[in-house]
Amino acid sequence: MIPPQEASARRREIEDKLKQEEETLSFIRDSLEKSDQLTKNMVSILSSFESRLMKLENSIIPVHKQTENLQRLQENVEKTLSCLDHVISYYHVASDTEKIIREGPTGRLEEYLGSMAKIQKAVEYFQDNSPDSPELNKVKLLFERGKESLESEFRSLMTRHSKVVSPVLILDLISGDDELEVQEEVVLEHLPESALQDVVRISRWLVEYGRNHDFMNVYYQIRSSQLDRSIKGLKEHFRKSSSSSGVPYSPAIPNKRKDTPTKKPVKRPGTIRKAQNLLKQYSQHGLDGKKGGSNLIPLEGRDDMLDVETDAYIHCVSAFVKLAQSEYQLLTDIIPEHHQKKTFDSLIQDALDGLMLEGENIVSAARKAIIRHDFSTVLTVFPILRHLKQTKPEFDHVLQGTAASTKNKLPSLITSMETIGAKALEDFADNIKNDPDKEYNMPKDGTVHELTSNAILFLQQLLDFQETAGAMLASQETSSSATSYSSEFSKRLLSTYICKVLGNLQLNLLSKSKVYEDPALSAIFLHNNYNYILKSLEKSELIQLVAVTQKTAERSYREHIEQQIQTYQRSWLKVTDYISEKNLPVFQSGVKLRDKERQMIKERFKGFNDGLEELCKIQKAWAIPDTEQRDKIRQVQKNIVKETYGAFLQRYNNVPFTKNPEKYVKYQVDQVGDMIDRLFDTSA
């Protein structure tokens, strides 16, 4: 049960809260009444504002629509006026541009092309809108006249500024690849930069707007002529330089001071002179007699013009590659891409055909030379063929995209040269074997036959063309390996060929040696020739090449040489047999000789003296060019004869076989030695 005091306090508390709630409720009622009043006032204001807006809208919208219509009308009027001005301008194009077109584009290309653009637009307008109007014909004629002027300007620029490349610059361009020292790159400027820009602009306009490709024909004709003339100029330069100084040269690069040019010799691609110099060296060392005749034209008598023509052709081939590369670079700036290959193909034809024709002429000349056994002329094919094969990758790269007939020209020439080269090698070997034995052509002194020196010289000249000669031989092989021959295969073929030539030469020399009636002279002849062959093989790389297929060649030649020396020595038996101990009469010491014995001794002395004098007289006119061999043969023979004669003299020195001993003892031992020392020496 709650105490009374707490209940009273509780009641008061509740009454106070009730009073507060009543006051709050009264405040809320007042606030609601005020809010209702404000709402009514706002609604009244908004209704009034809406009414006014509606009135304003009804007044403005008609005005706005009217203004919009007026603006549209104004825009239409302006567009109409602009179109009229544009159309009217087409009617004035002909009169505005006629003077410029008539005067041409020279010196004012930019302005001229601008006028052509206006004429082009006028033509398009009249074609679309008024195809029957006279104005169309007028602007068409003007456009055609302008296009012709541009074509004429293109031709004029190309003709005026296209210059033949000088031989000096071409030689610098060619030698640039071979120079070891770093130097400035040789650049060909076919057209001045300003002219090139004009040419490019005109060509692009003619392609895009002129719808005319005739200018491409003009381009290739002009550039083709310059390319052809440049190469012919180089060839002529070789001829003139060789006639004046013997060696064509190229001054230093033009960028250097022109008042101090430096001469640099053009590299000679052939090795014909090298082999001939070797031959001269052998001659100086006493290895070469060459008094015998042969139906082979002497190689050392070769015309210098052959070297000049060969060098000129080889350099012209290299020049063609470099100049063609340069021409293609120029062409890419001027000719549209899809016409570049065809135009380039046409551009290079004259120069390329000229080179190929000259190459075929070389083949033809070689073919004729083979018929008349002039193998020195055929040798010009070797350096040329080697250079063509070395240059072929560059050739193929330059001719990419050209017609198949163009690409096949160089391979066809290479095949022709390989065929004629192989024919020359085959015929040379046959001629070595079948060279006739003409008595009047044989060397009287038994020295080296010209056939031998020619054969060796020819083989020596193949040394620097081993791959080329091997390829020639391989090209004639019918075996499957010939189509993909290796360098080793080629080397073996060449070794086999050289051995064949040497074998044929040996057989022919044996046959020729039979022309001599004296077996001793025949032996000297074979000795000289075999010795010359062996020394020539040893002094060059031929011996290594022979050894590829014939290991015992060197030993075989030495045996042949020794055999001939022994054969020669037998010629002295008829002299020494008179005084040899086995043929001497036997008598007792202190016993008086009978007349028959005295007579026999006299005959021995006389036979020896006559034989010695006769042999010395005959063999003095013979020749052994090799000093070493000559001294060796003399010494051996001198020792044999002196020893035999010395023993003979000692036996009969005190024998009274005659009252006039000086009549029979004509020579002392040393005198006999001196006489033999003068053998094989026509100057003694």
Side-chain angles (χ1 to χ4, degrees), residues 450-470:
E450 191 171 34
L451 176 70
T452 303
S453 59
N454 279 348
I456 293 299
L457 180 56
F458 185 88
L459 295 179
Q460 285 168 349
Q461 293 185 76
L462 297 182
L463 283 176
D464 279 359
F465 304 108
Q466 293 184 38
E467 290 187 10
T468 304

Side-chain angles (χ1 to χ4, degrees), residues 425 428-429 458-459 462 473 493-501:
L425 292 176
F428 183 80
F458 185 88
L459 295 179
L462 297 182
L473 296 169
L493 280 178
L494 185 57
S495 175
T496 302
Y497 171 78
I498 291 175
C499 291
K500 176 183 177 182
V501 171

Side-chain angles (χ1 to χ4, degrees), residues 352 356 396 399 402-415:
L352 182 58
M356 295 303 107
D396 293 342
L399 300 183
T402 58
S405 58
T406 302
K407 294 178 182 176
N408 291 334
K409 287 180 179 179
L410 180 63
S412 176
L413 178 59
I414 288 175
T415 300

Side-chain angles (χ1 to χ4, degrees), residues 209-232:
Y209 301 107
R211 308 290 192 273
N212 190 337
H213 296 159
D214 289 345
F215 76 95
M216 298 180 196
N217 296 332
V218 172
Y219 177 84
Y220 92 70
Q221 289 169 1
I222 293 174
R223 294 308 308 168
S224 175
S225 174
Q226 301 303 326
L227 175 61
D228 191 40
R229 290 170 60 194
S230 297
I231 294 176
K232 288 178 178 176

Side-chain angles (χ1 to χ4, degrees), residues 163-192:
K163 305 296 182 185
V164 173
V165 183
S166 71
V168 167
L169 192 55
I170 294 176
L171 289 173
D172 283 333
L173 186 68
I174 296 172
S175 61
D177 292 342
D178 300 326
E179 294 295 326
L180 296 178
E181 64 271 11
V182 178
Q183 62 176 8
E184 292 186 59
E185 182 182 359
V186 181
V187 178
L188 296 180
E189 185 183 65
H190 294 292
L191 297 174

Side-chain angles (χ1 to χ4, degrees), residues 57-68:
E57 183 179 358
N58 292 333
S59 301
I60 292 301
I61 286 177
V63 174
H64 175 71
K65 289 182 177 180
Q66 187 176 7
T67 302
E68 191 177 47

Side-chain angles (χ1 to χ4, degrees), residues 296 363-378 381 419-428 431:
L296 299 175
V363 172
S364 178
R367 188 176 291 109
K368 294 175 182 177
I370 291 173
I371 295 174
R372 64 177 185 272
H373 302 154
D374 178 12
F375 294 98
S376 60
T377 300
V378 180
V381 172
T419 302
I420 198 65
K423 172 68 173 171
L425 292 176
E426 179 185 350
D427 280 26
F428 183 80
N431 274 277

